[in-house]
Amino acid sequence: MANAKDEKEKFALVTGGSRGIGRAICEQLAKDLDYQILINYNSNKKAAEETLRLVEASGGKGELIQFNVADGENVKTALEAWYENNKNGVVEVLVNNAGITKDGLFMWMPPEDWSNVINTSLNGFYNVTNALIQKLLVNKYGRIINMVSVSGLKGTPGQTNYSAAKGAVIGATKALAQEVAKRNVTVNAVAPGFIKTDMTSELNEAELKKMVPANRFGKPEEVAHLVSFLASSKSSYITGEIININGGIYS
């Protein structure tokens, strides 16, 4: 007779899954791994529904879950309600992808542009991961993948807030990985460089790609393939790592 653990419905939660890299990750996980995809969004339900359609078109299953990662109470309430409605469900993979930018020179940076970026990228990591970590440890299996950035590794002028937030998540990734490794839970970070998404659409691609040894911007799918590998059982001996995917711009 199969034990109860084998019968659990397994899920992968992707925060900020409605667009860009988040959408590509949802789609790739659905293609590669045997997980139902929990697509988190904050306000853009239409975009999240399009992600769900793509997940289903690639043969996967998924559902939407709305919460604002920056709001700890909102996160807790939403995830508790989800677990209440999915008694047989277990989130085994968490991709902390939600993030925002509010670029500007530090000297003129208003407090809200500092706080909003920190609250989404750094406190968002805390709020969602903290709400799920106990269940991952009890489950004795889990994959936590934090989306960081080349900005968090080398610092980017005009992005002191974003560089600070992502740099902090890098430190947290390394520390948490050591705390939970014995329970077969890995914690890694993926640090993209310039990737073609809504977030980079305002940038001067023709000029910036000259800085990239590969001489082009990356594609969201390229990032998604890396995340998918880290979310799989194949990556079980990789933890506490920050993996660059940036065309050689910074290694």
Side-chain angles (χ1 to χ4, degrees):
M1 185 178 159
N3 66 42
K5 190 168 185 285
D6 294 333
E7 294 162 10
K8 289 265 187 203
E9 285 190 76
K10 295 176 178 181
F11 290 82
L13 168 60
V14 181
T15 68
S18 63
R19 293 180 304 160
I21 290 174
R23 173 178 285 178
I25 290 168
C26 289
E27 212 178 335
Q28 201 61 50
L29 293 179
K31 284 177 186 169
D32 294 348
L33 304 173
D34 195 19
Y35 285 113
Q36 294 182 56
I37 313 300
L38 270 178
I39 302 158
N40 159 255
Y41 71 100
N42 180 25
S43 55
N44 195 338
K45 187 175 184 184
K46 196 174 172 192
E49 285 170 343
E50 176 59 16
T51 302
L52 178 58
R53 191 189 68 71
L54 291 166
V55 162
E56 290 170 345
S58 55
K61 287 185 189 169
E63 62 184 81
L64 306 187
I65 181 166
Q66 182 183 18
F67 56 77
N68 175 5
V69 298
D71 182 339
E73 278 308 307
N74 183 212
V75 171
K76 199 162 170 273
T77 305
L79 288 172
E80 281 174 359
W82 183 85
Y83 267 106
E84 192 56 40
N85 293 327
N86 294 270
K87 300 273 195 209
N88 210 34
V90 58
V91 175
E92 283 194 349
V93 173
L94 166 61
V95 183
N96 285 305
N97 169 73
I100 59 168
T101 53
K102 296 279 181 185
D103 295 353
L105 292 176
F106 184 77
M107 183 166 65
W108 293 301
M109 186 175 286
E112 58 273 21
D113 284 4
W114 175 267
S115 302
N116 289 342
V117 169
I118 298 288
N119 284 340
T120 304
S121 288
L122 178 56
N123 296 341
F125 154 78
Y126 170 83
N127 292 335
V128 184
T129 310
N130 189 256
L132 291 173
I133 193 75
Q134 200 170 353
K135 293 187 189 310
L136 290 175
L137 295 173
V138 169
N139 190 40
K140 292 188 181 160
Y141 183 87
R143 298 282 181 266
I144 298 169
I145 299 139
N146 300 319
M147 301 306 296
V148 291
S149 169
V150 65
S151 298
L153 287 155
K154 78 168 193 63
T156 301
Q159 286 197 323
T160 303
N161 49 2
Y162 190 68
S163 298
K166 295 302 189 180
V169 175
I170 286 168
T173 298
K174 292 177 177 181
L176 182 59
Q178 295 172 70
E179 291 183 18
V180 299
K182 283 183 182 162
R183 289 295 184 106
N184 206 16
V185 176
T186 65
V187 189
N188 292 292
V190 170
F194 293 117
I195 309 295
K196 276 178 86 84
T197 65
D198 293 352
M199 209 184 241
T200 57
S201 61
E202 303 289 303
L203 300 178
N204 184 341
E205 186 177 343
E207 199 54 42
L208 288 169
K209 74 178 187 181
K210 294 175 190 168
M211 296 163 51
V212 183
N215 197 37
R216 66 175 178 87
F217 278 20
K219 294 182 272 194
E221 307 80 67
E222 292 174 303
V223 179
H225 280 296
L226 173 56
V227 173
S228 178
F229 169 70
L230 291 172
S232 76
S233 57
K234 295 171 186 170
S235 65
S236 54
Y237 204 53
I238 301 171
T239 196
E241 285 300 319
I242 318 304
I243 302 172
N244 292 323
I245 178 161
N246 57 33
I249 197 169
Y250 174 86
S251 296

